[in-house]
Amino acid sequence: WSKWHMRLHKRLKQNKYLLPSNSTLLLAISGGQDSMALLKLITDLKRLYKWQIEIWHGDHQWHSQSNKIEEELKLWCLNKQIPFNSNRANKEEVLNEEKARNWRYKKLIMKAKLLNNIHSPCKRILTGHTATDRAETLIMNLARGTDLIGLSTLKEQRSLENDLELARPLLIFNRNETLEICKEFNLPIWIDPSNENINLTRNKIRKEILPILNSIYKGADSRIASVANRLESYTKDQQSLAKIAIEFCQGEEINSLSR
């Protein structure tokens, strides 16, 4: 039990709908520091929440070491008695970042459906996105030109299909903290060489832009992520008020909207 466990436990108490008790959680694990920190915290907390844990790993085959990473991660999970599942993509399925993301979620949803059962339904797919990822997304969308909804992306939770939800419980941590978690608990980390390719937009922001912002204002990534979180709440409030206004206008009373 550590301060990291306590912080996540506190957040789950605040939002009991995020990761329901007595359910199956499907964790998307790449082997990088964020996903390994997620795996550690969730497996340690599962006894309190009576979760069933399943691992899914997606091999994009973008580099020569991808098969080795999959095999080593699989062996590590099996030694820990954690059920391991994986899929390998064809090159045509993952030609770019967007297609790769769509492929991952498609496979995750298919796996979640197979895991669904009456006693421990699989209603949550978990990813290791952190506050740093959220800051990167906000900067990227801001540079592209977007509205408030675009600036509040990477939500803590969103619907995928029917009652299946995507959850991001590590948004309360930044990337420096997930590295500390891995070091503190001596967790293995598998480095994906494609993460070093600065021709990819997100990698350029991660490697070049955010370090400058953090050097100017320490912890800038966490504060930028906090802005995205507040904008998400603001957007929800706007949508709620709009719904109330529309319902009021649809009535037949004197104050309703005249066709």
Side-chain angles (χ1 to χ4, degrees):
W1 191 261
S2 66
K3 61 181 180 180
W4 318 112
H5 294 86
M6 180 60 72
R7 194 194 303 182
L8 179 56
H9 180 54
K10 182 179 179 181
R11 179 57 192 149
L12 294 178
K13 289 297 183 183
Q14 292 172 341
N15 184 0
K16 294 182 179 181
Y17 187 67
L18 184 61
L19 303 178
S21 300
N22 299 297
S23 63
T24 295
L25 306 180
L26 179 58
L27 279 62
I29 303 297
S30 67
Q33 67 179 61
D34 298 338
S35 64
M36 293 305 292
L38 172 70
L39 178 55
K40 172 62 178 175
L41 296 180
I42 293 298
T43 52
D44 286 351
L45 289 175
K46 74 173 186 177
R47 62 184 176 83
L48 297 178
Y49 294 90
K50 297 179 173 62
W51 294 320
Q52 296 294 321
I53 306 297
E54 292 271 348
I55 301 304
W56 180 88
H57 174 77
D59 180 2
H60 299 130
Q61 301 197 73
W62 279 351
H63 56 87
S64 59
Q65 297 297 310
S66 64
N67 291 351
K68 182 180 178 182
I69 290 175
E70 179 185 356
E71 291 302 320
E72 291 181 356
L73 177 59
K74 178 180 180 179
L75 181 61
W76 188 86
C77 288
L78 293 179
N79 286 336
K80 300 288 185 181
Q81 297 183 325
I82 305 172
F84 181 87
N85 311 272
S86 64
N87 290 104
R88 290 181 181 175
N90 298 320
K91 289 184 178 180
E92 295 74 20
E93 295 176 305
V94 291
L95 289 174
N96 54 47
E97 291 177 271
E98 182 180 0
K99 286 190 174 183
R101 182 173 59 252
N102 292 338
W103 174 80
R104 288 195 301 272
Y105 284 124
K106 179 182 177 181
K107 295 299 181 182
L108 282 164
I109 290 171
M110 289 173 60
K111 185 60 188 178
K113 289 179 178 178
L114 291 174
L115 293 173
N116 225 345
N117 63 73
I118 297 173
H119 301 292
S120 184
C122 183
K123 303 297 183 184
R124 296 293 183 273
I125 291 173
L126 278 61
T127 63
H129 290 104
T130 66
T132 307
D133 292 298
R134 201 171 200 185
E136 291 167 358
T137 303
L138 187 148
I139 292 170
M140 187 162 34
N141 289 344
L142 183 64
R144 287 170 174 165
T146 185
D147 55 15
L148 288 177
I149 294 178
L151 294 178
S152 60
T153 52
L154 269 189
K155 298 176 175 62
E156 187 176 44
Q157 187 170 343
R158 71 175 178 88
S159 177
L160 289 174
E161 187 176 291
N162 298 325
D163 54 353
L164 180 62
E165 301 272 335
L166 175 68
R168 300 182 175 106
L170 291 196
L171 288 181
I172 57 175
F173 302 103
N174 62 35
R175 187 164 290 120
N176 288 334
E177 290 173 318
T178 60
L179 182 59
E180 286 184 44
I181 292 170
C182 291
K183 289 180 177 178
E184 182 172 335
F185 296 104
N186 197 28
L187 300 175
I189 298 174
W190 288 270
I191 305 297
D192 185 342
S194 64
N195 289 338
E196 302 300 317
N197 181 6
I198 61 170
N199 291 322
L200 299 176
T201 304
R202 183 175 293 276
N203 288 348
K204 184 179 284 289
I205 292 173
R206 178 177 301 171
K207 298 290 183 181
E208 298 183 356
I209 297 176
L210 265 184
I212 293 174
L213 293 176
N214 280 319
S215 69
I216 298 172
Y217 297 107
K218 187 177 180 180
D221 52 351
S222 295
R223 286 191 294 276
I224 293 171
S226 179
V227 170
N229 186 54
R230 294 197 297 274
L231 288 173
E232 180 184 347
S233 299
Y234 178 73
T235 301
K236 288 179 180 178
D237 291 344
Q238 277 193 321
Q239 292 171 343
S240 297
L241 289 171
K243 184 177 180 181
I244 293 171
I246 291 170
E247 289 175 352
F248 177 76
C249 292
Q250 288 176 334
E252 296 181 358
E253 294 80 7
I254 190 170
N255 292 325
S256 64
L257 184 65
S258 169
R259 180 175 296 179

